[in-house]
Amino acid sequence: CCQSNDKGAPLRRLQAIGGVGDFMKPLSFKRHRFPAEVIRHAVWLYFRFSLSFRDVEELMAQRGIDVSYETIRCWTIKFGPLIARRLKKRRVPPTGRWHLDEMVCKIGGRRMYLWRAVDDEGEVLDVVVQRQRDTEAALKLIRRLLRNQPVEPETITTDGLASYCAARDQLALRHLHRPGRLRDNNRVENSHLPIRRRERQQQRFKSQASAQRFLTTHAAIYNTFNIQCHLISRPTLRRFRGDADAAWAAATI
């Protein structure tokens, strides 16, 4: 029930919108001791795989590049959000079938909630880190989606949390809301797994602001490289990987 019937969807996900991004200024790597290629590769390694800064430092050292993990951290903070915005602009619009869910986590020793939305093909639409699990938090997520997504929702599937029902009534979205059982929302439940892996690797997020920054950047890069290898043939996989690498290269010029 969570798989899309549109077999052409992964290909559309990897196609850039015509003309989008052509007007964007190139990234500036001035006043950095290391070449742009090194910085791009370090940032890609950190966000693409479940690696710590020290892991990336060791991988770079194996290639003869002596750079500290603290320098890599600074690169991810400076260039990560810029690259993520460029990748997001180059993506084709998601579908209008949205799945919403929240997951609990510890951030800075406090219990917080990651409110997440994906479409029916696994594209991460938005992530909002909030302290509460109430109607106001649900309203914030849905309003952000309605404001920032380039498509109108066709359906909004959630679990049985009452906060979604209250938010939907305030926004007059009752006709779109599909509150369902757990299996009806498997798409978003499964999409939590990469976040859990990163949370463990980073020994939990340290602050609400840093968690929001990382998750927003990670979502854009995850969307670009999430090819769903088990659904396609090897030749198609090679082509999709090439398209994803080309999208990354264009966004990091």
Side-chain angles (χ1 to χ4, degrees):
C1 61
C2 63
Q3 296 293 341
S4 169
N5 292 325
D6 185 356
K7 295 182 179 179
L11 179 57
R12 293 200 306 274
R13 284 279 181 261
L14 293 173
Q15 291 173 336
I17 301 174
V20 174
D22 294 342
F23 60 91
M24 290 187 294
K25 294 181 179 179
L27 292 178
S28 175
F29 296 94
K30 292 181 179 179
R31 296 183 296 277
H32 286 274
R33 182 165 63 91
F34 289 88
E37 292 77 9
V38 171
I39 298 175
R40 292 190 193 102
H41 188 64
V43 173
W44 178 77
L45 283 173
Y46 179 70
F47 286 107
R48 176 67 182 89
F49 305 103
S50 297
L51 301 173
S52 67
F53 292 122
R54 292 186 183 274
D55 290 335
V56 178
E57 176 185 1
E58 188 165 345
L59 287 172
M60 301 298 283
Q62 190 178 33
R63 292 161 173 77
I65 303 171
D66 184 16
V67 56
S68 72
Y69 72 92
E70 181 62 23
T71 298
I72 297 170
R73 186 186 72 85
C74 292
W75 290 345
T76 61
I77 292 174
K78 179 177 180 179
F79 294 106
L82 296 176
I83 295 171
R85 284 196 292 271
R86 287 162 167 255
L87 288 172
K88 190 173 182 180
K89 287 181 179 180
R90 292 176 177 272
R91 300 289 284 176
V92 298
T95 72
R97 296 176 292 277
W98 299 349
H99 295 255
L100 279 56
D101 194 34
E102 69 290 337
M103 55 183 285
V104 65
C105 63
K106 282 287 186 72
I107 299 179
R110 300 187 59 177
R111 185 184 181 92
M112 293 192 183
Y113 299 90
L114 307 183
W115 292 74
R116 304 180 67 251
V118 305
D119 72 3
D120 65 333
E121 294 167 359
E123 183 93 351
V124 181
L125 304 176
D126 209 342
V127 183
V128 185
V129 182
Q130 306 196 70
R131 297 183 180 181
Q132 302 298 328
R133 189 170 177 253
D134 56 12
T135 302
E136 288 302 317
L139 277 170
K140 183 175 181 180
L141 174 63
I142 297 175
R143 282 172 174 159
R144 279 173 60 111
L145 290 169
L146 295 174
R147 181 175 64 251
N148 297 331
Q149 294 304 314
V151 296
E152 295 293 327
E154 299 173 19
T155 60
I156 300 177
T157 304
T158 69
D159 56 18
L161 182 67
S163 299
Y164 290 117
C165 297
R168 130 206 116 180
D169 291 341
Q170 291 191 37
L171 298 173
L173 297 174
R174 179 183 290 269
H175 62 294
L176 300 178
H177 189 209
R178 303 288 187 273
R181 292 165 295 181
L182 180 61
R183 67 182 184 184
D184 297 325
N185 219 20
N186 278 347
R187 172 59 77 186
V188 68
E189 293 286 348
N190 292 336
S191 77
H192 293 331
L193 298 179
I195 302 302
R196 288 300 189 198
R197 287 196 293 267
R198 295 309 299 253
E199 183 185 24
R200 290 193 297 270
Q201 179 64 40
Q202 298 177 206
Q203 298 179 11
R204 297 182 175 177
F205 301 113
K206 304 304 185 291
S207 70
Q208 183 175 352
S210 64
Q212 182 68 65
R213 181 178 60 246
F214 170 81
L215 293 171
T216 301
T217 304
H218 177 269
I221 297 173
Y222 173 82
N223 287 341
T224 300
F225 290 95
N226 180 31
I227 302 174
Q228 301 182 11
C229 307
H230 61 292
L231 299 177
I232 56 180
S233 65
R234 292 299 298 182
T236 304
L237 173 60
R238 289 193 293 270
R239 180 158 56 93
F240 282 4
R241 281 177 173 167
D243 291 341
D245 291 338
W248 172 267
T252 57
I253 294 176

